[in-house]
Amino acid sequence: MTIRVLLVDDQPLLRTGFRMILEAEPDLAVVGEAGDGQQALDQVRALQPDVVLMDIRMPRMDGVEATRRIAGPDRDGPAKVLVLTTFDLDEYVVEALRAGASGFLLKDVPAEELVQAIRVVADGAAMLAPSVTRRLLDMYATKLPSGDEAPPQALTVLTEREVEVLRLVARGLSNAEIAAELFVSETTVKTHVGHVLTKLQLRDRVQAAVYAYESGLVRPGSL
């Protein structure tokens, strides 16, 4: 099945580069482009893409607000948002993840990693490699709560094992690595991760990792 992709970036040259990479893949189709967040909203409504590659800093409407309107908690549409950012990770990436993005990519990502990320997100699975999630959290650890705050009441809905799995997800471990750590099967880990996302009303494991930091379950520097 062909994955429909919308490119959103205010730099035409970058959009052209991404289009050339994606259109070389038999299962990917670039259905449209947008130069700002408002155009992105219009294109999503008109074209119904599966995945939106979303730049952060754009005129008229930035990528955070556009992501919130496309993939936020009140949206039931099929589009998944994959945020594009600079090498240094600009300050709005965490906000984009909270807004409903399925994850993020660096703009200088290798072509094969870009293609794989789109396939993973379109499939509804975890965003990119867990190491990418960990790098994001490491770089933003100083901006997140110190861990002195009491964990939210919402964590009480999790079993002891589910809390343990959430903590390992926040450390950047893959399902296979968590299975090895806990001496259980990978299928069991997938079940636990699914329960965590459902109980905490989170979209994916990227948001689960951010939640673990914000709740104080994992503290900056404790990885």
Side-chain angles (χ1 to χ4, degrees), residues 166 196-205 207-209 211-212:
L166 175 57
V196 169
L197 297 181
T198 299
K199 291 181 178 181
L200 297 180
Q201 299 181 1
L202 301 171
R203 180 164 183 155
D204 53 37
R205 67 192 297 139
Q207 290 191 344
Y211 182 93

Side-chain angles (χ1 to χ4, degrees), residues 149-160 162-164 166 195-202 207-208 211-212 214-217:
E149 301 87 351
Q153 187 69 19
L155 278 180
T156 61
V157 304
L158 302 181
T159 66
E160 183 176 343
E162 288 165 355
V163 170
E164 194 170 8
L166 175 57
H195 289 165
V196 169
L197 297 181
T198 299
K199 291 181 178 181
L200 297 180
Q201 299 181 1
L202 301 171
Q207 290 191 344
Y211 182 93
E214 293 183 322
S215 69
L217 180 63

Side-chain angles (χ1 to χ4, degrees), residues 121-187:
V121 168
D123 192 45
M127 162 54 201
L128 294 182
S131 60
V132 178
T133 302
R134 177 169 179 171
R135 181 169 59 199
L136 171 69
L137 293 172
D138 283 345
M139 294 192 71
Y140 278 85
T142 58
K143 297 180 181 291
L144 295 173
S146 66
D148 295 332
E149 301 87 351
Q153 187 69 19
L155 278 180
T156 61
V157 304
L158 302 181
T159 66
E160 183 176 343
R161 178 47 62 92
E162 288 165 355
V163 170
E164 194 170 8
V165 168
L166 175 57
R167 185 178 288 109
L168 295 175
V169 166
R171 284 175 48 195
L173 273 64
S174 67
N175 285 345
E177 291 168 334
I178 294 173
E181 181 89 6
L182 300 180
F183 302 101
V184 298
S185 71
E186 192 169 347
T187 299

